[in-house]
Amino acid sequence: MKRRTACHAMLLAIMASPRMTWAQVADRPARLAFLVEPALDAPLQQAVVKALREGLRTLGYIEGRNYSIEFRSADGTFARLPALASELLRQQPDVLVTAWPAAAMAAKEATRTVPVVAVSVDNPVTMGLAQSFAQPGGNITGVGSWAVEIVAKRLQVLREFVPAAKRFGVLFNPNVAGPGLERAVADWQKGLGLPIHAYAASGPGDFDGAFAAMAKDGVGGLLVFADSNTYTHRVVLNQLCLQRRMPSVWGGRDFMTGGALASYQSDYPDMFRRSATLIDKILKGTKPGDIPFEQASKLELVIDAKAAKALDVVVPPALLLSADHVIE
């Protein structure tokens, strides 16, 4: 009996040992990995990388002392994500951080064991990243960005800009659009009371055809989805909006290069700073499946008054008053 009790106590001690947790790394610096589809240019370095490091620093993590981080970017090429995810996983990171839906889905396909913190994703349940917000249940947790709800708000903003429009369009990337897009468009259409047409574009070769189809369909305003494709080619798309005199609302301030009327989006830096808390919990032994998915809490409305003038669009005073930033 004494021997059985001693063995039982030893088993409990082993199970409670930090080495048995998902990623307890008290005896060495934590290894983090970061995967993103678009190029990590200056705006993303500021909004994403700097914000993540700030969040970690606030929690006592000092790069080079108690953690390291490896970055991989697909430079806007969707097809590169699976190989990059595998490359990062071979380095045996304690936590893999992903930015935006495409990278999160690549991580989901690449591992079922390494903890993943997916930042700025759409609904993680409908994407198959989690069983529920409160109890993800697998190896992935993160921060959602109110995708469906915020798109409805962007459409309302667009309607305030062009109240006489008879129909709207949404430009999406078929590589990352989920199976629920058709239903979502129907819901947005019902809520707005206007027909909404969806136009697929997976790269620059599709842009002219999409805009030509919009003109043929009589689209009076465009909502451009935020993804790596539209970010990578934002300058071309902004120019097309000017050339085609197409009022547009976008999903992030850094997407605006002179042709977009406005952006309404979750605050990216805030989300990536907050993700540091989730990373910290995992490194201290909490399973990702037990860490609830968070939702973005800060939203930002940016209006480009110069673009409005170029497009001969009057900015409603109410929108000006509610804007967080106005580009003059």
Side-chain angles (χ1 to χ4, degrees):
M1 179 65 70
K2 288 183 179 179
R3 182 179 179 183
R4 184 183 302 171
T5 302
C7 290
H8 182 65
M10 184 178 295
L11 178 61
L12 289 176
I14 292 173
M15 291 176 65
S17 168
R19 294 181 182 275
M20 295 299 291
T21 63
W22 278 69
Q24 182 70 9
V25 292
D27 57 341
R28 60 168 174 79
R31 291 192 295 264
L32 306 182
F34 189 98
L35 180 64
V36 62
E37 184 182 358
L40 283 171
D41 57 13
L44 289 192
Q45 287 283 347
Q46 182 74 18
V48 173
V49 177
K50 181 181 177 182
L52 175 60
R53 284 174 166 146
E54 287 174 349
L56 289 167
R57 190 180 307 116
T58 300
L59 296 173
Y61 291 90
I62 301 173
E63 190 171 2
R65 183 181 301 177
N66 56 3
Y67 87 95
S68 63
I69 185 164
E70 284 286 331
F71 292 91
R72 293 293 184 276
S73 162
D75 292 325
T77 304
F78 175 81
R80 293 185 59 202
L81 283 172
L84 291 174
S86 297
E87 181 182 327
L88 285 172
L89 291 170
R90 283 195 293 271
Q91 299 182 31
Q92 299 183 326
D94 299 301
V95 182
L96 172 59
V97 184
T98 66
W100 296 294
M105 295 304 291
K108 173 180 178 285
E109 295 302 318
T111 180
R112 294 291 190 273
T113 56
V114 174
V116 175
V117 174
V119 189
S120 190
V121 294
D122 302 337
N123 187 315
V125 178
T126 59
M127 290 177 66
L129 300 175
Q131 295 175 12
S132 70
F133 276 85
Q135 199 73 27
N139 65 314
I140 304 175
T141 186
V143 185
S145 58
W146 298 107
V148 174
E149 298 86 352
I150 206 170
V151 167
K153 177 60 179 177
R154 288 184 201 137
L155 288 165
Q156 293 172 9
V157 170
L158 184 59
R159 188 167 192 179
E160 290 187 54
F161 274 114
V162 283
K166 297 294 190 296
R167 58 184 48 80
F168 285 158
V170 294
L171 186 69
F172 72 97
N173 182 354
N175 289 327
V176 296
L181 177 61
E182 185 175 345
R183 179 177 177 179
V185 169
D187 289 342
W188 296 326
Q189 184 171 266
K190 183 178 179 181
L192 198 65
L194 283 179
I196 299 174
H197 296 190
Y199 300 90
S202 58
D206 300 326
F207 295 159
D208 284 333
F211 274 82
M214 292 176 210
K216 181 180 179 181
D217 294 338
V219 169
L222 175 65
L223 188 150
V224 182
F225 283 178
D227 59 41
S228 176
N229 177 45
T230 54
Y231 181 79
T232 300
H233 305 293
R234 61 194 183 280
V235 174
V236 173
L237 286 168
N238 272 254
Q239 289 174 345
L240 279 169
C241 286
L242 284 177
Q243 293 168 5
R244 298 278 186 166
R245 303 192 65 77
M246 178 66 71
S248 60
V249 173
W250 296 58
R253 181 178 186 176
D254 293 328
F255 288 77
M256 304 169 68
T257 65
L261 277 179
S263 162
Y264 189 71
Q265 179 59 41
S266 306
D267 187 316
Y268 288 133
D270 181 67
M271 283 190 284
F272 283 92
R273 278 190 290 267
R274 286 172 58 187
S275 71
T277 301
L278 307 180
I279 296 169
D280 179 57
K281 289 179 180 180
I282 293 170
L283 293 176
K284 288 178 177 176
T286 305
K287 296 179 181 179
D290 294 333
I291 303 174
F293 253 89
E294 298 186 7
Q295 283 283 47
S297 58
K298 294 178 66 177
L299 298 170
E300 181 183 61
L301 173 62
V302 180
I303 293 175
D304 189 336
K306 291 175 64 177
K309 185 176 181 180
L311 292 166
D312 198 25
V313 171
V314 176
V315 180
L319 280 182
L320 279 177
L321 287 173
S322 61
D324 297 280
H325 302 280
V326 178
I327 302 170
E328 299 289 353

